[in-house]
Amino acid sequence: QKNGSSFTGFILLGFSDRPHLERVLFVVLLIFYLLTLLGNTTIIALSRLDPHLHTPMYFSLSNLSFLDLCYTTSTVPQLLVHLRGADKSMSFGGCVAQLFITLGLGGTECILLGMMAFDRYAAVCRPLHYTVIMHPRLCALMASASWFIGFANSSLQTVLIFLVPLCGRNKIDHFFCEVSALLKLACVDTTEYESEILFFSMIFFFIPASLITFSYGRIVWAVLRIKSARGQRKVFETCGSHLTVVSLFYGTAIYIYVQPSNNYSQDQGKFISLFYTIITPMVNPFIYTLRNKDVTGAIKMV
């Protein structure tokens, strides 16, 4: 075991045990990354250019697109470089920064999706008071709070993870600095650290999940009171896109971070991580545009 003071950086193994897969992944991920940039930049631009989209919903949606752009950019460009080159190293500071940024952006998106659920509740259940409830100041405050809480949680978790002694171990069996992969490098029992991280993660998830459950519980109750099929269909169109995005995001996050470590497959974890780092941010703009007349109309106008 090497002295921890001589530790300089990490080696990201990624998919190096599958050299033929690396070539295919490079092409596929490059295409997906370009689509992610195009789709999310389009949503942000439309929200700024079209006056009809200067609403609380599209303010939140442009924030979501910006988050997705930042989240994908924090991992995918580096992965593309590693897939095409022999050097797969990363400095210690770079790993700390990447973990902090990805956890912070992921936590911010988690809270932002909860706040967007509240926006849908106000639109469906309080339509006459919607503009009063979702005041621009409240929207700005909610967005700022989501960023602050997300990165505050990230700071706590990053400190907890890098308090774990590594004893010079530096080969991360992943394509980016990720919580479970870093904990596997520890040269001590990590049960206590994992319990602390799980505890804080569960509290964090509980807060946005409660907001989403409350909002959609009230929405379902409102739908049941609507007698016309047309009215119910209109509510579904209003909430369907957001509910789909929530299901994709929370489904993968819960699978990765809440399951017991002894049931965790590292290879399976890599492909699930690919899903939420590149696939989900890529499909989010398409989910919101395919059935959204406001966005498609804005695209035609611009």
Side-chain angles (χ1 to χ4, degrees):
Q1 292 182 338
K2 297 180 181 178
N3 191 318
S5 61
S6 64
F7 187 74
T8 57
F10 295 98
I11 305 296
L12 295 169
L13 299 179
F15 302 94
S16 55
D17 57 335
R18 300 179 176 89
H20 298 294
L21 179 62
E22 284 190 323
R23 299 169 189 170
V24 176
L25 277 176
F26 177 83
V27 176
V28 173
L29 292 179
L30 178 60
I31 294 172
F32 284 179
Y33 182 56
L34 293 175
L35 288 173
T36 302
L37 293 179
L38 176 64
N40 286 287
T41 303
T42 300
I43 293 292
I44 295 171
L46 290 175
S47 299
R48 303 282 283 180
L49 294 174
D50 190 346
H52 295 96
L53 301 185
H54 292 174
T55 64
M57 175 183 174
Y58 291 101
F59 173 79
S60 299
L61 184 55
S62 60
N63 266 274
L64 179 64
S65 293
F66 179 69
L67 276 169
D68 284 339
L69 278 176
C70 294
Y71 189 83
T72 304
T73 302
S74 68
T75 56
V76 174
Q78 177 206 16
L79 173 58
L80 292 173
V81 171
H82 286 179
L83 288 173
R84 294 299 297 162
D87 183 13
K88 303 182 187 301
S89 63
M90 188 177 195
S91 68
F92 180 82
C95 187
V96 173
Q98 187 180 64
L99 181 68
F100 173 72
I101 291 170
T102 53
L103 285 176
L105 292 171
T108 302
E109 184 164 340
C110 186
I111 297 174
L112 185 64
L113 288 172
M115 293 179 175
M116 290 174 71
F118 179 76
D119 174 85
R120 295 299 81 205
Y121 154 74
V124 173
C125 301
R126 297 287 186 271
L128 299 179
H129 300 91
Y130 177 72
T131 55
V132 177
I133 296 172
M134 299 305 296
H135 191 273
R137 289 183 181 177
L138 177 63
C139 294
L141 180 63
M142 290 167 68
S144 301
S146 65
W147 283 87
F148 176 78
I149 297 171
F151 277 91
N153 175 69
S154 173
S155 301
L156 179 62
Q157 294 211 32
T158 301
V159 169
L160 284 174
I161 290 166
F162 281 100
L163 284 175
V164 179
L166 303 180
C167 303
R169 299 179 183 180
N170 68 340
K171 292 184 179 179
I172 300 177
D173 191 12
H174 215 291
F175 61 84
F176 74 107
C177 290
E178 191 257 353
V179 174
S180 61
L182 283 167
L183 288 176
K184 287 183 180 295
L185 299 182
C187 55
V188 296
D189 182 18
T190 61
T191 304
E192 183 179 348
Y193 292 96
E194 290 178 9
S195 299
E196 290 175 354
I197 292 170
L198 181 61
F199 174 74
F200 288 116
S201 297
M202 292 297 290
I203 293 176
F204 186 79
F205 272 118
F206 177 77
I207 297 171
S210 298
L211 185 58
I212 292 173
T213 303
F214 166 79
S215 300
Y216 277 102
R218 297 301 297 267
I219 289 171
V220 169
W221 177 251
V223 170
L224 293 175
R225 296 169 63 183
I226 298 174
K227 297 181 179 179
S228 67
R230 183 180 178 182
Q232 292 178 344
R233 185 169 62 252
K234 187 176 180 180
V235 172
F236 176 76
E237 291 174 355
T238 302
C239 304
S241 299
H242 177 257
L243 198 56
T244 303
V245 171
V246 167
S247 300
L248 288 173
F249 181 83
Y250 276 85
T252 52
I254 290 171
Y255 181 85
I256 289 291
Y257 291 106
V258 179
Q259 66 172 323
S261 58
N262 56 355
N263 293 337
Y264 187 83
S265 166
Q266 197 63 34
D267 287 337
Q268 191 180 39
K270 291 178 190 177
F271 288 100
I272 296 295
S273 297
L274 277 179
F275 185 86
Y276 70 76
T277 55
I278 185 68
I279 303 298
T280 302
M282 182 191 69
V283 301
N284 282 353
F286 296 100
I287 291 172
Y288 276 103
T289 56
L290 288 178
R291 295 177 58 86
N292 192 312
K293 295 178 182 179
D294 293 335
V295 176
T296 53
I299 291 173
K300 292 175 183 178
M301 186 196 76
V302 173

